[in-house]
Amino acid sequence: MFPTNRHYGLQRLDDDLLRVLLTRRFDRPERVMVVILDLSNPDDEWRANPHSPETVLWSDRDYGGGDLPLETSGDGAAYEPMRALRDSAVVEGNGRTYPYYAVAGEQGMAGAEIYERR
């Protein structure tokens, strides 16, 4: 469904909806995006547009590599700092949702909180 993905963070929103946080290799810069999948159809009919998930986290802060040059991410580990957020995961607790992700390529970790639009 997402041929250039690196890692997924998954969150079941209800019986029919799945939030997928993902990062994609070869993006410029690599960033955390979200797509919502409708699970009401049989699994062989699940569809998402891999070219237009919504960007939710971008490396614009120094700790995330925001002070580094813009470059296209590649395959494999990031041994040197780069302007990229990678490897998203989702943690839920106390009715709140927290995505965690690697920053500056893979030089550290950061987290945020998802607030639902109302």
Side-chain angles (χ1 to χ4, degrees), residues 3 15 19 25 39 43 57 73 79 88 101-102 105 109 111 118:
D15 288 342
R19 182 188 339 246
R25 296 168 289 153
L39 306 178
D43 61 357
L57 294 166
S73 69
Y79 295 107
S88 57
Y101 47 94
M109 294 295 297
R118 297 182 195 262

Side-chain angles (χ1 to χ4, degrees), residues 1-3 22 24 34-37 47-54:
M1 193 174 302
F2 305 102
L22 62 114
R24 297 184 304 200
V34 66
V35 68
I36 305 297
L37 291 179
R47 299 289 181 265
N49 183 342
H51 303 292
S52 62
E54 181 182 354

